[in-house]
Amino acid sequence: MPRSRTETAGGSEQAVGQLTDDLAALVRAEVEQVRSFVREELEAIRDEVAERGKHAARGGAYLTGAAILGAGAGVALLALPALALRRVVPAPVAALLLAAGYGTGAAALARRGVEAVQEAAPDTVDERIEDAKQSAADTLKEAAARTTR
């Protein structure tokens, strides 16, 4: 006996519903796989960053030790002129001469350092505002000159 249209439509609705359910299950499975993959990758990245942090901390400790030993070597080196001058002039005079020389050198280096930092530092807000005003004025003058031609 032939099927009626209603029976056929009901069967296709069931087939479409089953196909939709199957497709939704596949999408859920893929989403779960992607979620699992991303979670594993993030854990691997976190572990790698932690390991690199340990290596960096160890390197920082070595550099700190090197700085301390280098400072000790510098102090010993700076004591040499004092020992040499002490043979020629009294010890307090030798200390004053060395302090003056080291202080002058430190002041000169500090001045150059401050100048270099100021050159690299961004402009102050007031300077930026003035620059913006000047740039706007120049642009308006150029636009006015083009329109009068």
Side-chain angles (χ1 to χ4, degrees), residues 78-128:
L78 293 175
L80 286 176
L83 294 173
L85 279 175
R86 207 175 78 189
R87 294 175 186 242
V88 180
V89 295
V93 175
L96 287 174
L97 288 172
L98 288 175
Y102 291 148
T104 303
L109 289 174
R111 180 182 302 144
R112 303 253 347 242
V114 167
E115 289 171 359
V117 168
Q118 286 176 340
E119 288 177 17
D123 297 335
T124 64
V125 174
D126 292 336
E127 290 173 346
R128 288 186 179 183

Side-chain angles (χ1 to χ4, degrees), residues 1-52:
M1 169 159 100
R3 291 184 172 168
S4 68
R5 281 187 91 124
T6 312
E7 289 176 15
T8 307
S12 16
E13 286 178 12
Q14 285 178 344
V16 168
Q18 181 62 37
L19 181 62
T20 303
D21 291 343
D22 292 344
L23 184 60
L26 285 172
V27 168
R28 275 190 221 106
E30 288 299 316
V31 167
E32 187 55 39
Q33 282 182 343
V34 168
R35 183 179 294 151
S36 175
F37 174 76
V38 168
R39 190 176 301 124
E40 290 171 5
E41 285 298 312
L42 287 175
E43 288 174 9
I45 290 170
R46 185 188 65 220
D47 293 344
E48 182 181 341
V49 167
E51 187 64 30
R52 286 185 181 191

